Amino acid sequence: MSRSGLYKTRRRVSEPGIRAVFAASYQSYGSRRLVTALVNRGVSVGRFKVHSLMRRAGLKPMWKHKFVHTNSNHELPIADNVLTATSIRAAPSKAYVPDITYIHSHWC
C-alpha cells in the first residue's frame, strides 16, 4: 500500500464512524452538522457523502421540542391568587401580570 493510500484510509469515513458521531449528538445532527463534527475530528468528507451514508444506515435526526407543556398534577404548594382581593379589582390599571410560561422549569 502506498503512503498516500494509507493516509487516505485513515481519514476515510465509514458507517460506524457516522453512527458514533450521530449517537454522540443525541440523534439530533443532520448531514451538515455531522460534516462539521467529522471535520473537527480530522475526517475530510463531503455533505452529500454523509447524507448518503446516513440514508443507507437509516439515521434520521430527531428534532427537540422547544416548548414543554407543564404538568399540573403534582403535590407541590400552589401560591394564593392575590388578584382576587377586592381592593385591587376596584380600580383599573392597578395590577399588571407578567406571562412567564416561556421560562423552563426543571421540576415540571
Side-chain angles (χ1 to χ4, degrees):
M1 179 182 281
S2 66
R3 182 178 294 185
S4 62
L6 175 67
Y7 290 129
K8 188 178 262 187
T9 57
R10 284 185 181 176
R11 290 191 315 256
R12 186 177 297 149
V13 66
S14 63
E15 225 174 273
I18 295 273
R19 285 183 187 273
V21 175
F22 186 73
S25 73
Y26 300 104
Q27 300 178 355
S28 65
Y29 280 6
S31 60
R32 295 171 195 251
R33 290 174 78 184
L34 274 179
V35 167
T36 305
L38 288 168
V39 166
N40 290 339
R41 291 183 178 202
V43 178
S44 177
V45 65
R47 182 169 67 93
F48 295 110
K49 178 68 173 179
V50 171
H51 182 71
S52 65
L53 285 173
M54 285 179 68
R55 191 175 337 138
R56 191 180 326 152
L59 303 175
K60 292 184 179 180
M62 299 180 64
W63 292 33
K64 295 179 180 147
H65 297 285
K66 297 192 191 263
F67 181 77
V68 178
H69 293 279
T70 58
N71 181 9
S72 297
N73 298 326
H74 54 76
E75 300 296 324
L76 298 171
I78 298 174
D80 293 331
N81 187 358
V82 295
L83 293 178
T84 58
T86 56
S87 62
I88 294 176
R89 287 189 291 150
S93 297
K94 286 288 185 181
Y96 295 98
V97 181
D99 180 17
I100 59 166
T101 56
Y102 64 91
I103 296 175
H104 180 70
S105 58
H106 296 282
W107 52 269
C108 290

